[in-house]
Amino acid sequence: DLSNNAIHLQVGIHSRPRPSYNLSAIIIWALGVFIAALAAFLSAQDYRDHRKPMHTLPSSSSSAPTNERTYTAHQPSTSNSPPPDSLELTPLHALGFIVMASSALLVLFFLKIYSFVKIMYAFGCSGALTQVFFFPIYTKLFTSTKYKRYMSQVCINMPLCEIGAVSRIEVLSAMSGYAIGLAWLILAFTLRHPENNVFFWVVQDIMGACMCMLFLSIIKLNSIRVASILLIVAFLYDIFFVFVTPLIFKGQSVMITVATSGGPPKADPSWCEKYPTDADCQGGDPLPMLLTVPRIADYQQGASLLGLGDIVLPGLLLSFAARFDEAKKLVGFMRTGSATPTNRSPHTCPPDSPAGRICGLLCNGGYFVPLVIAYAIGLLCANIAVYVMNMGQPALLYLVPACLGTMVVLGKRRNELDDLWHGPKVIRAADAMVYGEEEFETPNTENTLSEGGGSVGAPLGTVEEGPDGDVPLLSLT
């Protein structure tokens, strides 16, 4: 209105578009489930490998009982023995593990030595990457070439370092693993926000996955009594450091502060986009002891996080379930010639229908698949809770009841809970077969092995000298 010397201005404020859904949360959920399931599945590979080369030999007498079979068994050798650094957890180990984890978390919170963690993570995970990823790949690659013998020859011998003879293929694997770890470490110290670099976060997730697989191949649980102690204490540990510590440390959650290398930036994301060097825009980089997937198409950046502990701790129970299932198949094969148990649980499921197949899998099948499903549901609930409550969540709050509860309910329904609680006899029998025991026995109980009971008859068998003097035969009645 010029007559009154008034100027009317119309101001519009527009915000930059952001995605309605966080796709990175779905990716991190799928990645966590896949790694936990794969690592647990591979931890029982020794049982599967032992069952493959067995074959039925022709009976020397036609009058032999029909229920007596003879199978070839592996020649006991050092290659089939447990690794020297393998460890079966006890209740004392479980409690000590939590004490050490709590101490390390508090040291990181007060001393803020996040750079030290990056260095240790790079070197530790480079070794895991070497063993789990590069060595199997190079072994498979050179096996089919004329360089197989050359690459298998010893090129270094270091007895003083307790390393011993090292082949060329092991040197090549180590060089590859540590070269990638060094490249990752250089990016971690030179980039302002390295978690947004594709190479950085992809390599970090691969190294974390290799570390989980190596951990579950070495650390074993042989009873749900130890699993219950470990997971329940870890459950309380997770809740305390996420929900209780803000009441103690002036609103700071110890777990979230450490996971984000000191907490998220204090300044507004829009301000930090313009002035990234501002002091209030520093911090928030995820600590490398976790899986990370950056938010997709979000100018405010950020990432979805999943701690490695949320994979390996429930993964120990998944690994126990996988080994229990495979041990029953192995011992059942040795007794009956079939990996499928002859006696099923008494639960009736509708035949020839999808619902019937699901019912059969959950009620009459093994433990591994139901526990993987329970883990997936628990992790999904944790991700949903993050958005409902708009804050970080302790994943074990949802994973422990889902996984441990599923194991207990299934064990109770199948009348195997007592055996699972004290340590299944079938796992001890399978270990005796696989790891070169010349003779194994179990307590003189009912000589049956069924899906509804994990006990193994006594004795299952003894290794005898073969007709040619060097092939061991396992006679089973």
Side-chain angles (χ1 to χ4, degrees), residues 84-426:
D85 53 354
S86 62
L87 174 66
E88 178 182 340
L89 287 184
T90 65
L92 186 60
H93 288 133
L95 295 175
F97 178 80
I98 297 301
V99 171
M100 293 299 294
S102 302
S103 303
L105 199 62
L106 290 172
V107 167
L108 288 173
F109 178 75
F110 286 110
L111 301 184
K112 305 185 185 304
I113 49 175
Y114 306 122
S115 297
F116 176 75
V117 173
K118 293 178 182 179
I119 296 173
M120 296 302 296
Y121 183 86
F123 280 97
C125 287
S126 294
L129 190 65
T130 297
Q131 297 182 54
V132 176
F133 187 77
F134 283 110
F135 184 75
I137 287 180
Y138 287 149
T139 301
K140 188 73 173 177
L141 179 63
F142 288 109
T143 297
S144 57
T145 67
K146 61 181 179 180
Y147 299 105
K148 174 184 177 182
R149 187 172 182 179
Y150 174 78
M151 295 300 295
S152 301
Q153 292 175 351
V154 174
C155 65
I156 302 175
N157 196 348
M158 295 183 291
L160 296 179
C161 302
E162 298 185 358
I163 296 178
V166 181
S167 66
R168 289 184 175 90
I169 197 169
E170 290 173 324
V171 172
L172 179 61
S173 302
M175 290 174 60
S176 302
Y178 282 92
I180 290 181
L182 180 61
W184 178 89
L185 188 61
I186 291 173
L187 291 178
F189 282 105
T190 56
L191 296 181
R192 186 174 302 277
H193 291 293
E195 73 277 4
N196 297 318
N197 181 279
V198 175
F199 174 84
F200 182 87
W201 69 263
V202 168
V203 169
Q204 177 174 316
D205 290 352
I206 292 175
M207 292 195 301
C210 291
M211 181 61 77
C212 292
M213 293 178 191
L214 187 62
F215 182 93
L216 292 183
S217 70
I218 294 175
I219 308 299
K220 307 289 185 184
L221 285 175
N222 279 343
S223 72
I224 63 171
R225 177 174 66 93
V226 179
S228 299
I229 295 173
L230 175 63
L231 292 177
I232 290 174
V233 174
F235 172 84
L236 299 175
Y237 155 91
D238 226 13
I239 292 174
F240 175 80
F241 281 107
V242 173
F243 291 139
V244 179
T245 52
L247 305 177
I248 302 174
F249 299 110
K250 299 179 180 179
Q252 282 189 301
S253 168
V254 170
M255 185 76 73
I256 295 175
T257 301
V258 171
T260 55
S261 301
K266 300 177 182 178
D268 183 84
S270 299
W271 175 268
C272 292
E273 187 179 19
K274 295 179 181 179
Y275 308 102
T277 59
D278 189 273
D280 290 337
C281 295
Q282 306 308 308
D285 299 333
L287 205 65
M289 297 185 298
L290 42 76
L291 302 180
T292 176
V293 177
R295 293 177 66 97
I296 298 172
D298 192 340
Y299 76 95
Q300 293 187 358
Q301 300 180 347
S304 295
L305 311 176
L306 178 62
L308 298 185
D310 299 326
I311 296 177
V312 297
L313 292 179
L316 287 169
L317 189 60
L318 269 65
S319 172
F320 171 72
R323 292 170 54 240
F324 182 57
D325 291 350
E326 293 299 330
K328 287 202 291 186
K329 291 178 183 178
L330 175 60
V331 176
F333 181 87
M334 300 296 287
R335 295 190 65 249
T336 66
S338 172
T340 304
T342 55
N343 297 328
R344 287 289 187 178
S345 301
H347 307 296
T348 302
C349 296
D352 301 328
S353 68
R357 285 190 286 271
I358 295 175
C359 172
L361 180 67
L362 297 178
C363 296
N364 300 332
Y367 289 84
F368 177 63
V369 174
L371 256 67
V372 171
I373 295 173
Y375 180 87
I377 294 173
L379 192 56
L380 180 63
C381 291
N383 277 278
I384 293 173
V386 169
Y387 295 97
V388 171
M389 301 183 184
N390 197 28
M391 64 176 296
Q393 294 292 307
L396 293 179
L397 175 63
Y398 307 91
L399 291 173
V400 170
C403 296
L404 190 59
T406 299
M407 192 79 177
V408 170
V409 169
L410 289 177
K412 184 69 174 177
R413 286 176 62 88
R414 298 171 183 177
N415 297 319
E416 293 178 330
L417 186 56
D418 185 68
D419 194 44
L420 292 170
W421 180 260
H422 295 98
K425 305 177 186 68
V426 69

Side-chain angles (χ1 to χ4, degrees), residues 55-73:
H55 62 274
T56 305
L57 296 180
S59 176
S60 59
S61 172
S62 59
S63 60
T66 58
N67 66 335
E68 181 174 336
R69 290 180 171 86
T70 306
Y71 302 96
T72 62

